[in-house]
Amino acid sequence: MRVAIIPARGGSKRIPRKNIRTFCSKPMISWSIDAARKSDCFDRVIVSTDDEDIAAVARQYGAETPFARPKELSGDHTPTIPVISHAIAWLQAHDVAPDFVCCIYATAPFLSPDDLRAGVALLEEKNLDYVFSGTWFNFPIQRALKMDLDGRVSMFHPEHFNTRSQDLEEAFHDAGQFYWGRVNAWTEGLPIFSANSAIIQLPSWRVQDIDTEEDWLRAEKLFNANDRRGDSR
C-alpha cells in the first residue's frame, strides 16, 4: 500500500494561513492534493493537521483527515520525520499497513504527478530509503561569498578563486516538494539526505520555497509563466 501524507499545520507565522491562502485561484494545499490524486500512486491521500479550517479545505479537495495532529507535533520547530512517523503509527494502529509513504508539502504548487510516479519507481528499482525532488544550484557553491559584521567580503573556499566554473563539481539542493520513503525509513528516523537516497531532478523554474511574501509573489509569477507554456503541471 502507498499513502501520501501532507503535513499542514495552522500556525504559519511569516505568511499567515498560507496553507489555505488562495494561490492562482485555488487554496494552496489543493495543488498538492490534486497532484497526489492525479498521479494514481496512492491508495490514500491524508492531510496531517492541527487546524480544522485546513482539514475542511483538504476534505473539500479530496483528501482525508482521519486524525488531528497533536499539539506537541505542531510547533514552529517540529521536524518532518516525526510528523510522518506519527501518521504511520496512526495508520498501523487502525490496521493499515503501508509499504511506501510519500510526504508531500502543502506549499508545493509546482508538484507534478509525473515526478511522483518517477519517484516511487526509482525507490523500488534501486531499493532506496528515500527519493525526493531536487534541483541544481545556478551558481557554483564553491565560489560562495560571506560578509563579516563590517560588511567585508571573503570566500568560503578561497582555494577556488581561480578555478573555472565549469571545472567545479555541480551541487544540488532539496526542492521542498515531496519525499518518498519506505515505512521503516520513516519510523526508524533514518536521515533523508544520505547515500541511500536519490533525487528526482527538477528544472529550476519549477522550484520555489514559499516562506515570505516575496517568495509568494515570485511563485505566482513563475506559476503563471509556466502555465502559459503548458509546463506547470
Side-chain angles (χ1 to χ4, degrees):
M1 174 179 279
R2 301 171 181 172
V3 177
I5 306 294
I6 303 175
R9 69 185 186 91
S12 176
K13 299 287 194 302
R14 286 178 290 183
I15 305 178
R17 313 300 289 165
K18 75 173 181 177
N19 289 322
I20 53 174
R21 176 173 163 178
T22 299
F23 179 91
C24 294
S25 80
K26 299 199 308 185
M28 174 61 86
I29 195 173
S30 71
W31 295 106
S32 295
I33 295 170
D34 284 352
R37 296 183 68 198
K38 289 176 180 176
S39 73
D40 292 324
C41 287
F42 303 105
D43 299 286
R44 300 179 69 172
V45 177
I46 293 173
V47 170
S48 170
T49 185
D50 60 327
D51 186 287
E52 182 50 40
D53 290 339
I54 293 175
V57 172
R59 291 191 294 269
Q60 178 185 348
Y61 284 89
E64 301 177 50
T65 57
F67 57 82
R69 194 198 305 181
K71 183 177 180 180
E72 61 269 22
L73 290 177
S74 302
D76 292 344
H77 304 292
T78 302
T80 296
I81 290 178
V83 173
I84 304 305
S85 295
H86 168 266
I88 292 171
W90 187 93
L91 289 167
Q92 292 173 334
H94 290 79
D95 299 320
V96 179
D99 302 299
F100 304 105
V101 171
C102 187
C103 168
I104 297 175
Y105 281 163
T107 52
F110 299 98
L111 178 63
S112 164
D114 287 341
D115 296 331
L116 292 171
R117 288 189 283 266
V120 72
L122 185 60
L123 186 75
E124 294 186 90
E125 176 190 351
K126 301 294 186 182
N127 195 29
L128 299 164
D129 291 327
Y130 297 102
V131 172
F132 60 96
S133 57
T135 193
W136 51 91
F137 284 94
N138 289 325
F139 188 84
I141 62 171
Q142 299 89 342
R143 294 178 60 82
L145 305 175
K146 56 185 174 180
M147 286 195 302
D148 64 20
L149 294 177
D150 293 326
R152 297 178 184 274
V153 174
S154 60
M155 294 184 69
F156 280 95
H157 300 283
E159 67 274 19
H160 289 301
F161 178 76
N162 289 315
T163 306
R164 299 185 309 167
S165 296
Q166 59 264 42
D167 295 330
L168 295 170
E169 184 176 2
E170 194 167 41
F172 295 81
H173 64 86
D174 176 15
Q177 294 186 5
F178 68 87
Y179 309 86
W180 273 106
R182 296 181 182 275
V183 163
N184 70 293
W186 290 115
T187 58
E188 293 173 17
L190 300 182
I192 294 175
F193 307 143
S194 76
N196 207 36
S197 299
I199 287 175
I200 297 297
Q201 296 182 34
L202 307 183
S204 59
W205 43 263
R206 277 212 295 120
V207 176
Q208 176 63 49
D209 280 342
I210 305 178
D211 293 321
T212 66
E213 290 292 342
E214 182 180 354
D215 292 341
W216 188 283
L217 180 61
R218 176 177 169 78
E220 287 188 320
K221 290 181 181 297
L222 276 172
F223 189 95
N224 287 326
N226 294 338
D227 193 46
R228 282 194 295 273
R229 62 174 183 257
D231 293 332
S232 66
R233 301 296 292 163

